[in-house]
Amino acid sequence: MKNHPFAIALIIAALTPIPVVAQQLDPAIRTAARCAPIAGGRPDDAARVLGPTDPQAKTLYGRGGRIVINSGTNRGIQIGQRYFVRRVMEFHGAPRGRDTEGWVRILASNERTAIATVEFACDGIVTGDHLEPYEEPNLPPYVDRTDATGQLDFTKTARVLYGESGRATGGGRDFMIIDKGQKDGVAVGSRYAVYRNLRMDDVPPVNFAEAIVVSALDDNALIRITASRDAVTYGDTLVERIGGRGFPNTNAGAIGGGAGGGGGANGEQDE
């Protein structure tokens, strides 16, 4: 009895491993990516949060709250649209950046104002925060994995700037902004080793963390720290890895080594 070619194709497809990117990604990673900080200043003429629809005085709004927006159909705001709510970082010494406070959906809109409901609050949304069009983050393959198999290229480096709410430190699974972008050759999906110079005689810089580029603008990029043995802080150095495996390996090694080491954290997945 001959096997039908279509049946053989189905068997082959069933036996073929499904790439990690096609499998379900931890929802917490997607949520964290949506809540990640954004480089750059506030867009010109962005709509702003005016206040609550509730007659009780409020300045802080969480999930399920209804808020009034200072723009409507005259600015293209329509029922059903979703928007990120962001806030410009204004702390002392802040770089040009915006925190993502959550996202909303438009419930009603007239010519000059709109009403929105808070679908998710990364942090407290407040009066004066501004709206930006919602776009689902397009995460690179294996963003939940550590791949430290690539060779280090010390001619391609960057420095860590800041994380959420302008924090100068971050850890494993956190998102942070770095000081290089597309014009410097930084590409989405690129892997970086994170080094710190201990500034001690005869002690080389130490590789203590690994990261992947999640998105990139001209001058800055967003990374996700996939593994870390210590807090990643402002000024830490990132060194690009070239020619890595590009897919997870179940035989995970350890992060570490001096400046000459090739790393070893290989295929580790978030726990």
Side-chain angles (χ1 to χ4, degrees), residues 239-258:
V239 180
E240 186 172 359
R241 291 191 178 277
I242 305 297
R245 184 182 302 277
F247 58 90
N249 184 340
T250 55
N251 297 319
I255 301 173

PDB file of all heavy atoms in Angstrom, residues 239-258:
ATOM      1  N   VAL A 239      28.933  45.034  24.588  1.00  0.00           N
ATOM      2  CA  VAL A 239      29.802  44.626  23.482  1.00  0.00           C
ATOM      3  C   VAL A 239      29.014  43.671  22.596  1.00  0.00           C
ATOM      4  O   VAL A 239      28.483  42.661  23.071  1.00  0.00           O
ATOM      5  CB  VAL A 239      31.077  43.932  23.998  1.00  0.00           C
ATOM      6  CG1 VAL A 239      31.963  43.509  22.827  1.00  0.00           C
ATOM      7  CG2 VAL A 239      31.835  44.851  24.958  1.00  0.00           C
ATOM      8  N   GLU A 240      28.942  43.984  21.301  1.00  0.00           N
ATOM      9  CA  GLU A 240      28.124  43.167  20.401  1.00  0.00           C
ATOM     10  C   GLU A 240      28.743  41.791  20.189  1.00  0.00           C
ATOM     11  O   GLU A 240      29.960  41.635  20.098  1.00  0.00           O
ATOM     12  CB  GLU A 240      27.949  43.858  19.052  1.00  0.00           C
ATOM     13  CG  GLU A 240      26.977  43.110  18.135  1.00  0.00           C
ATOM     14  CD  GLU A 240      26.643  43.874  16.871  1.00  0.00           C
ATOM     15  OE1 GLU A 240      27.138  44.999  16.699  1.00  0.00           O
ATOM     16  OE2 GLU A 240      25.879  43.337  16.051  1.00  0.00           O
ATOM     17  N   ARG A 241      27.846  40.793  20.102  1.00  0.00           N
ATOM     18  CA  ARG A 241      28.264  39.431  19.776  1.00  0.00           C
ATOM     19  C   ARG A 241      27.973  39.188  18.289  1.00  0.00           C
ATOM     20  O   ARG A 241      26.875  39.484  17.814  1.00  0.00           O
ATOM     21  CB  ARG A 241      27.517  38.416  20.639  1.00  0.00           C
ATOM     22  CG  ARG A 241      27.928  38.458  22.108  1.00  0.00           C
ATOM     23  CD  ARG A 241      27.374  37.288  22.874  1.00  0.00           C
ATOM     24  NE  ARG A 241      27.790  37.280  24.267  1.00  0.00           N
ATOM     25  CZ  ARG A 241      28.947  36.797  24.704  1.00  0.00           C
ATOM     26  NH1 ARG A 241      29.805  36.278  23.843  1.00  0.00           N
ATOM     27  NH2 ARG A 241      29.255  36.815  25.991  1.00  0.00           N
ATOM     28  N   ILE A 242      28.945  38.657  17.587  1.00  0.00           N
ATOM     29  CA  ILE A 242      28.842  38.436  16.154  1.00  0.00           C
ATOM     30  C   ILE A 242      28.795  36.935  15.857  1.00  0.00           C
ATOM     31  O   ILE A 242      29.584  36.156  16.405  1.00  0.00           O
ATOM     32  CB  ILE A 242      30.038  39.059  15.408  1.00  0.00           C
ATOM     33  CG1 ILE A 242      30.170  40.552  15.768  1.00  0.00           C
ATOM     34  CG2 ILE A 242      29.888  38.875  13.899  1.00  0.00           C
ATOM     35  CD1 ILE A 242      28.986  41.396  15.351  1.00  0.00           C
ATOM     36  N   GLY A 243      27.860  36.538  14.974  1.00  0.00           N
ATOM     37  CA  GLY A 243      27.840  35.161  14.492  1.00  0.00           C
ATOM     38  C   GLY A 243      27.441  34.135  15.521  1.00  0.00           C
ATOM     39  O   GLY A 243      27.970  33.016  15.521  1.00  0.00           O
ATOM     40  N   GLY A 244      26.507  34.480  16.393  1.00  0.00           N
ATOM     41  CA  GLY A 244      26.058  33.538  17.410  1.00  0.00           C
ATOM     42  C   GLY A 244      25.203  32.427  16.827  1.00  0.00           C
ATOM     43  O   GLY A 244      24.853  32.416  15.644  1.00  0.00           O
ATOM     44  N   ARG A 245      24.841  31.502  17.681  1.00  0.00           N
ATOM     45  CA  ARG A 245      24.063  30.343  17.253  1.00  0.00           C
ATOM     46  C   ARG A 245      22.726  30.765  16.644  1.00  0.00           C
ATOM     47  O   ARG A 245      22.277  30.208  15.661  1.00  0.00           O
ATOM     48  CB  ARG A 245      23.820  29.425  18.466  1.00  0.00           C
ATOM     49  CG  ARG A 245      23.092  28.140  18.122  1.00  0.00           C
ATOM     50  CD  ARG A 245      22.858  27.333  19.394  1.00  0.00           C
ATOM     51  NE  ARG A 245      24.113  27.039  20.079  1.00  0.00           N
ATOM     52  CZ  ARG A 245      24.903  26.041  19.754  1.00  0.00           C
ATOM     53  NH1 ARG A 245      24.591  25.246  18.749  1.00  0.00           N
ATOM     54  NH2 ARG A 245      26.012  25.825  20.418  1.00  0.00           N
ATOM     55  N   GLY A 246      22.073  31.745  17.265  1.00  0.00           N
ATOM     56  CA  GLY A 246      20.816  32.240  16.717  1.00  0.00           C
ATOM     57  C   GLY A 246      19.614  31.426  17.104  1.00  0.00           C
ATOM     58  O   GLY A 246      18.496  31.737  16.704  1.00  0.00           O
ATOM     59  N   PHE A 247      19.799  30.391  17.891  1.00  0.00           N
ATOM     60  CA  PHE A 247      18.662  29.601  18.360  1.00  0.00           C
ATOM     61  C   PHE A 247      19.044  29.018  19.711  1.00  0.00           C
ATOM     62  O   PHE A 247      20.228  28.894  20.044  1.00  0.00           O
ATOM     63  CB  PHE A 247      18.304  28.487  17.367  1.00  0.00           C
ATOM     64  CG  PHE A 247      19.433  27.541  17.077  1.00  0.00           C
ATOM     65  CD1 PHE A 247      19.628  26.406  17.844  1.00  0.00           C
ATOM     66  CD2 PHE A 247      20.303  27.788  16.021  1.00  0.00           C
ATOM     67  CE1 PHE A 247      20.668  25.536  17.583  1.00  0.00           C
ATOM     68  CE2 PHE A 247      21.341  26.916  15.749  1.00  0.00           C
ATOM     69  CZ  PHE A 247      21.534  25.789  16.523  1.00  0.00           C
ATOM     70  N   PRO A 248      18.051  28.674  20.522  1.00  0.00           N
ATOM     71  CA  PRO A 248      18.349  28.225  21.874  1.00  0.00           C
ATOM     72  C   PRO A 248      19.030  26.866  21.897  1.00  0.00           C
ATOM     73  O   PRO A 248      18.841  26.040  21.019  1.00  0.00           O
ATOM     74  CB  PRO A 248      16.976  28.165  22.545  1.00  0.00           C
ATOM     75  CG  PRO A 248      16.028  27.937  21.423  1.00  0.00           C
ATOM     76  CD  PRO A 248      16.598  28.691  20.251  1.00  0.00           C
ATOM     77  N   ASN A 249      19.806  26.661  22.943  1.00  0.00           N
ATOM     78  CA  ASN A 249      20.505  25.397  23.176  1.00  0.00           C
ATOM     79  C   ASN A 249      20.186  24.961  24.591  1.00  0.00           C
ATOM     80  O   ASN A 249      20.336  25.736  25.527  1.00  0.00           O
ATOM     81  CB  ASN A 249      22.013  25.615  23.003  1.00  0.00           C
ATOM     82  CG  ASN A 249      22.799  24.313  23.132  1.00  0.00           C
ATOM     83  OD1 ASN A 249      22.326  23.329  23.682  1.00  0.00           O
ATOM     84  ND2 ASN A 249      24.024  24.340  22.623  1.00  0.00           N
ATOM     85  N   THR A 250      19.741  23.742  24.758  1.00  0.00           N
ATOM     86  CA  THR A 250      19.339  23.283  26.080  1.00  0.00           C
ATOM     87  C   THR A 250      20.527  23.112  27.011  1.00  0.00           C
ATOM     88  O   THR A 250      20.364  23.058  28.232  1.00  0.00           O
ATOM     89  CB  THR A 250      18.599  21.937  25.989  1.00  0.00           C
ATOM     90  OG1 THR A 250      19.427  21.002  25.304  1.00  0.00           O
ATOM     91  CG2 THR A 250      17.288  22.105  25.228  1.00  0.00           C
ATOM     92  N   ASN A 251      21.751  23.017  26.454  1.00  0.00           N
ATOM     93  CA  ASN A 251      22.939  22.883  27.291  1.00  0.00           C
ATOM     94  C   ASN A 251      23.442  24.267  27.681  1.00  0.00           C
ATOM     95  O   ASN A 251      24.351  24.809  27.070  1.00  0.00           O
ATOM     96  CB  ASN A 251      24.045  22.120  26.553  1.00  0.00           C
ATOM     97  CG  ASN A 251      23.621  20.705  26.232  1.00  0.00           C
ATOM     98  OD1 ASN A 251      22.996  20.050  27.050  1.00  0.00           O
ATOM     99  ND2 ASN A 251      23.963  20.250  25.030  1.00  0.00           N
ATOM    100  N   ALA A 252      22.803  24.858  28.678  1.00  0.00           N
ATOM    101  CA  ALA A 252      23.117  26.234  29.061  1.00  0.00           C
ATOM    102  C   ALA A 252      24.379  26.283  29.903  1.00  0.00           C
ATOM    103  O   ALA A 252      24.574  25.481  30.811  1.00  0.00           O
ATOM    104  CB  ALA A 252      21.951  26.842  29.835  1.00  0.00           C
ATOM    105  N   GLY A 253      25.215  27.263  29.600  1.00  0.00           N
ATOM    106  CA  GLY A 253      26.414  27.468  30.395  1.00  0.00           C
ATOM    107  C   GLY A 253      26.212  28.622  31.344  1.00  0.00           C
ATOM    108  O   GLY A 253      25.099  29.059  31.584  1.00  0.00           O
ATOM    109  N   ALA A 254      27.311  29.143  31.861  1.00  0.00           N
ATOM    110  CA  ALA A 254      27.235  30.237  32.818  1.00  0.00           C
ATOM    111  C   ALA A 254      27.741  31.509  32.185  1.00  0.00           C
ATOM    112  O   ALA A 254      28.604  31.489  31.326  1.00  0.00           O
ATOM    113  CB  ALA A 254      28.069  29.908  34.052  1.00  0.00           C
ATOM    114  N   ILE A 255      27.176  32.614  32.640  1.00  0.00           N
ATOM    115  CA  ILE A 255      27.692  33.909  32.225  1.00  0.00           C
ATOM    116  C   ILE A 255      29.005  34.126  32.946  1.00  0.00           C
ATOM    117  O   ILE A 255      29.167  33.733  34.083  1.00  0.00           O
ATOM    118  CB  ILE A 255      26.727  35.025  32.617  1.00  0.00           C
ATOM    119  CG1 ILE A 255      25.377  34.797  31.971  1.00  0.00           C
ATOM    120  CG2 ILE A 255      27.248  36.379  32.230  1.00  0.00           C
ATOM    121  CD1 ILE A 255      24.347  35.760  32.459  1.00  0.00           C
ATOM    122  N   GLY A 256      29.917  34.806  32.287  1.00  0.00           N
ATOM    123  CA  GLY A 256      31.108  35.179  33.026  1.00  0.00           C
ATOM    124  C   GLY A 256      32.342  35.184  32.173  1.00  0.00           C
ATOM    125  O   GLY A 256      32.335  34.815  31.011  1.00  0.00           O
ATOM    126  N   GLY A 257      33.417  35.614  32.775  1.00  0.00           N
ATOM    127  CA  GLY A 257      34.691  35.669  32.084  1.00  0.00           C
ATOM    128  C   GLY A 257      35.188  37.092  32.003  1.00  0.00           C
ATOM    129  O   GLY A 257      34.424  38.046  32.131  1.00  0.00           O
ATOM    130  N   GLY A 258      36.470  37.217  31.805  1.00  0.00           N
ATOM    131  CA  GLY A 258      37.047  38.534  31.639  1.00  0.00           C
ATOM    132  C   GLY A 258      36.794  39.040  30.243  1.00  0.00           C
ATOM    133  O   GLY A 258      36.034  38.467  29.471  1.00  0.00           O
TER     134      GLY A 258
END
